Amino acid sequence: WVCRFEAIEQACRFQIISGQLINELPPNLIGRYIRFCNEHQMAAAILTSFVLWSLGDVTTQKLESMAEHNDEKKTNNHATTSSTSSITASSAFEFLNLRRLAATAFFGVSIAGIGGFYWYRLLDKAVSQWLKITPAKSGYARFTAAKLGLEFLVWHPISLAIFWLYLGVLGEGKSLSAVGGQLVSDLPTAIAADMCLWFPIDVLNFRFMPVHLQVIVVNIGSLFEAVLLSYLHGASGHGHGSSNNGGYPVAEVDKDRHNSES
């Protein structure tokens, strides 16, 4: 195991994972997944993105549902224990907004999966060939810093804007103008939170992982990003997945109801 760890460390240091090292992996689930990622790179990126982004949104919707349920219990002290004890298998998933889940999964496949697959190859080409910054000539510190700069200047703002567009238009049925206003107000906060999450992940990813596996590492981190962005999107007051107000803020629904009654 010591020799195998040293071999993996050396392979990661030079950003090379050889076929011999892949074949020496143990025949367990992790070993099979790594082989699948190495042999079917595009399919692995798409499948991993789909699963992790979907799981992240389901987790967020469940947390939002639990928070709303706790708020309702505080305001409705007359709720009986019998009403909460009879939970069936179908009611266990009543919190799930399938339209929002589909929009998030579509983002995972199209942007995080396919887009990320091509982006990290383009990023490596842009830094090493166009900017002429390579680990051999410039050192790993400058090479990683160049990739980080392009990552945060180009990829993160574009992908975050598309995420907001997907969830707003596809997930909640809002107009482009409404999503644009939400994007202007919420995007700076989302970018700041996203940078705090991705800075350590990107440093390790660009430093040690080969290009064709970088999108897999990113997708693993995207599980936490999906929870973070879905939470920010809901906490900004533009609707939770489990709410019964059509995805709009409660205050706006009450205001419209009051105007209609008057």
Side-chain angles (χ1 to χ4, degrees):
W1 281 106
V2 174
C3 295
R4 181 171 294 175
F5 177 79
E6 292 177 351
I8 294 176
E9 184 181 19
Q10 183 179 6
C12 292
R13 181 180 295 116
F14 292 101
Q15 295 195 344
I16 298 173
I17 291 186
S18 63
Q20 181 180 1
L21 181 61
I22 294 294
N23 294 330
E24 291 178 356
L25 288 170
N28 53 21
L29 185 60
I30 297 178
R32 292 176 182 176
Y33 176 73
I34 295 178
R35 291 190 190 93
F36 178 74
C37 294
N38 191 65
E39 297 172 1
H40 308 281
Q41 300 173 12
M42 171 71 83
I46 294 175
L47 180 62
T48 306
S49 298
F50 172 77
V51 172
L52 294 181
W53 277 90
S54 300
L55 181 60
D57 187 64
V58 170
T59 303
T60 306
Q61 291 195 44
K62 180 60 178 178
L63 293 176
E64 292 174 355
S65 176
M66 293 171 60
E68 292 178 358
H69 181 68
N70 292 333
D71 292 339
E72 291 178 358
K73 289 181 64 177
K74 292 179 181 178
T75 56
N76 301 320
N77 295 326
H78 62 276
T80 61
T81 57
S82 59
S83 62
T84 59
S85 59
S86 58
I87 299 177
T88 62
S90 59
S91 63
F93 294 95
E94 287 182 351
F95 70 91
L96 203 57
N97 185 330
L98 295 180
R99 181 173 179 176
R100 167 176 152 177
L101 176 60
T104 305
F106 183 51
F107 173 86
V109 171
S110 60
I111 304 303
I114 300 176
F117 177 83
Y118 288 107
W119 161 252
Y120 288 103
R121 282 159 174 76
L122 177 63
L123 180 62
D124 188 76
K125 182 178 181 180
V127 174
S128 59
Q129 297 183 19
W130 300 344
L131 298 179
K132 306 297 182 181
I133 301 176
T134 61
K137 295 181 179 179
S138 307
Y140 276 106
R142 187 178 178 186
F143 180 73
T144 304
K147 282 192 170 185
L148 280 174
L150 292 176
E151 175 89 347
F152 286 124
L153 287 176
V154 179
W155 179 249
H156 283 281
I158 293 177
S159 61
L160 285 174
I162 297 176
F163 176 82
W164 245 247
L165 184 67
Y166 275 31
L167 248 65
V169 176
L170 301 180
E172 299 177 357
K174 295 181 179 180
S175 63
L176 290 176
S177 59
V179 175
Q182 179 183 355
L183 190 63
V184 171
S185 61
D186 296 340
L187 188 59
T189 303
I191 291 178
D194 209 50
M195 289 179 65
C196 294
L197 171 67
W198 282 109
F199 182 81
I201 298 176
D202 282 338
V203 168
L204 297 176
N205 195 22
F206 295 147
R207 174 62 180 83
F208 294 109
M209 294 305 296
V211 175
H212 73 278
L213 291 181
Q214 287 179 2
V215 66
I216 303 299
V217 175
V218 168
N219 284 330
I220 295 174
S222 294
L223 173 63
F224 302 97
E225 184 184 33
V227 175
L228 174 65
L229 293 182
S230 296
Y231 172 78
L232 290 176
H233 187 272
S236 61
H238 298 273
H240 293 301
S242 59
S243 62
N244 296 322
N245 56 16
Y248 294 95
V250 176
E252 294 182 5
V253 173
D254 293 339
K255 180 179 178 181
D256 294 339
R257 186 178 302 164
H258 175 73
N259 292 335
S260 62
E261 292 176 353
S262 60

